[in-house]
């Protein structure tokens, strides 16, 4: 049975297990002595502390290089700060297709003093009305990973940012779609077919550890982007992804987490 938007709004949403407060960073994350330039930033540590290990595990399961995927997530989501990703959990900017719910057109409040879009209603209530302008945003065409009861609606836009565990679940569903539905032999995108063939051949020849090889990560990134009819056609896209890959030391981080069984704090 089809559910209308009004009916969706009445469906009970999952309740947070704990107060809606983002966990503070642990002391070891304040500074990294590794020499990787981007590790000094709190938002970088915060994103990877939450997602690096579970994303790596998903990537290994589906035989896709985890360092490359985490670098793409960082770029596409603006380190988790883009409004579409914060609403939908779609950090990889994957388009909806088939029966997927997608984010509709929205009217969003923006703080003109900070030039940021405000999603949290509680935060919005504390900002002087004179500092807020409302902007019309067109349909994003991106898949909405919020719970089924609110996915594809204009309500509860702050649900995931106020439910950290649900945000992580949404992010991981997003990653699983990418490494299974997109990077596959059945994809209609030639670049994705080529990437899947490349990875299968390399894993068969060298074993799963090849997914941590820097050259394979780079080849994968340049296979799926930087050319027409690919993840991102712009020639600068793979260069930006590789810049993040190198300056975060993400390949070493994923290897330490997965192969060397280090904690995030030890690996960071």
């Amino acid at each position: 049975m089809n559910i209308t938007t009004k009916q969706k709004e009445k469906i009970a949403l999952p309740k947070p297990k704990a107060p809606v407060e983002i966990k503070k960073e642990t002391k070891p994350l304040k500074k990294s002595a590794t020499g990787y330039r981007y590790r000094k930033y709190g938002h970088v540590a915060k994103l990877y502390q939450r997602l690096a290990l579970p994303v790596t595990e998903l990537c290994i399961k589906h035989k896709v290089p985890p360092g490359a995927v985490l670098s793409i997530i960082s770029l596409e989501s603006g380190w988790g700060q883009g409004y579409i990703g914060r609403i939908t959990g779609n950090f990889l900017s994957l388009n909806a297709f088939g029966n997927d719910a997608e984010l509709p057109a929205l009217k969003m409040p923006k703080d003109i003093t900070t030039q940021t879009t405000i999603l949290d209603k509680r935060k919005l209530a504390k900002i002087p009305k004179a500092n807020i302008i409302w902007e019309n945003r067109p349909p994003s065409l991106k898949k909405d990973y919020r719970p089924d009861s609110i996915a594809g609606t204009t309500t509860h836009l702050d649900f995931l940012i106020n439910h950290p565990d649900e945000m992580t679940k949404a992010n991981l569903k997003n990653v699983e779609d990418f490494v299974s539905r997109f990077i596959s032999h059945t994809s209609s995108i030639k670049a994705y077919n080529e990437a899947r063939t490349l990875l299968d051949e390399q894993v068969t020849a060298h074993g799963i550890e090849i997914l941590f090889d820097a050259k394979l990560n780079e080849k994968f990134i340049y296979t799926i982007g930087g050319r027409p009819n690919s993840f991102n056609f712009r020639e600068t896209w793979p260069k930006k992804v590789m810049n993040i890959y190198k300056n975060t030391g993400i390949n070493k981080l994923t290897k330490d987490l997965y192969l060397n069984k280090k904690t995030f704090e030890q690996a960071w």
Side-chain angles (χ1 to χ4, degrees):
M1 181 177 69
N2 293 327
I3 300 176
T4 66
T5 299
K6 289 185 178 180
Q7 288 174 322
K8 283 185 176 183
E9 293 175 14
K10 295 179 181 179
I11 298 175
L13 300 175
K15 295 182 179 179
K17 297 179 180 179
V20 200
E21 184 175 336
I22 303 298
K23 295 179 181 178
K24 295 181 180 179
E25 297 170 18
T26 56
K27 290 183 179 179
L29 303 185
K30 289 185 178 179
K31 186 178 181 180
S32 174
T34 59
Y36 297 113
R37 289 194 302 126
Y38 289 177
R39 289 200 185 185
K40 65 184 178 181
Y41 298 112
H43 63 276
V44 175
K46 186 176 181 180
L47 181 69
Y48 290 162
Q49 184 183 34
R50 183 169 65 85
L51 292 179
L53 180 57
V55 166
T56 296
E57 291 171 339
L58 263 178
C59 287
I60 297 301
K61 177 182 176 182
H62 294 280
K63 301 177 184 178
V64 177
V69 172
L70 283 161
S71 299
I72 295 169
I73 287 173
S74 305
L75 177 63
E76 292 298 317
S77 70
W79 300 101
Q81 295 305 305
Y83 87 92
I84 291 176
R86 292 173 70 211
I87 293 172
T88 66
N90 191 342
F91 277 10
L92 282 162
S93 299
L94 302 184
N95 286 336
F97 63 89
N99 294 323
D100 291 343
E102 63 182 50
L103 192 64
L106 299 171
K107 192 169 186 177
M108 305 289 294
K110 181 178 181 180
D111 185 342
I112 59 176
T113 62
T114 61
Q115 294 298 304
T116 56
T117 299
I118 309 300
L119 297 180
D120 193 326
K121 292 179 180 179
R122 295 168 301 178
K123 184 176 179 180
L124 179 62
K126 296 177 182 179
I127 301 174
K129 291 184 178 180
N131 292 350
I132 297 295
I133 59 172
W134 290 81
E135 297 181 329
N136 291 316
R137 302 290 178 92
S140 73
L141 306 180
K142 305 301 181 184
K143 183 173 177 179
D144 189 345
Y145 289 88
R146 287 179 292 169
D148 291 343
S149 59
I150 56 174
T153 73
T154 59
T155 62
H156 305 290
L157 300 181
D158 58 354
F159 177 77
L160 293 181
I161 64 173
N162 286 328
H163 296 71
D165 290 344
E166 293 293 328
M167 174 66 88
T168 298
K169 288 179 185 178
N171 294 158
L172 295 180
K173 287 179 182 177
N174 180 219
V175 172
E176 188 161 29
D177 274 351
F178 180 62
V179 298
S180 60
R181 292 171 64 185
F182 285 73
I183 307 302
S184 72
H185 292 297
T186 59
S187 173
S188 60
I189 305 298
K190 183 180 179 181
Y192 296 161
N193 299 152
E194 292 175 354
R196 184 67 271 163
T197 298
L198 167 69
L199 296 175
D200 287 348
E201 290 174 349
Q202 290 296 307
V203 171
T204 298
H206 304 287
I208 207 72
E209 290 189 12
I210 194 65
L211 297 175
F212 298 96
D213 180 76
K215 290 184 179 178
L216 181 60
N217 274 261
E218 183 172 10
K219 191 167 185 179
F220 171 75
I221 290 166
Y222 274 88
T223 298
I224 67 167
R227 55 179 175 151
N229 196 28
S230 64
F231 186 92
N232 189 306
F233 68 90
R234 293 177 177 83
E235 291 183 6
T236 57
W237 183 83
K239 296 177 182 178
K240 290 178 180 179
V241 175
M242 285 304 303
N243 181 58
I244 291 172
Y245 179 87
K246 293 173 180 177
N247 285 301
T248 57
I250 193 62
N251 197 45
K252 184 178 186 303
L253 177 66
T254 57
K255 188 183 297 185
D256 281 342
L257 292 173
Y258 189 81
L259 296 180
N260 300 329
K261 306 302 180 185
K262 292 184 178 181
T263 66
F264 184 84
E265 288 74 15
Q266 291 170 335
W268 193 251

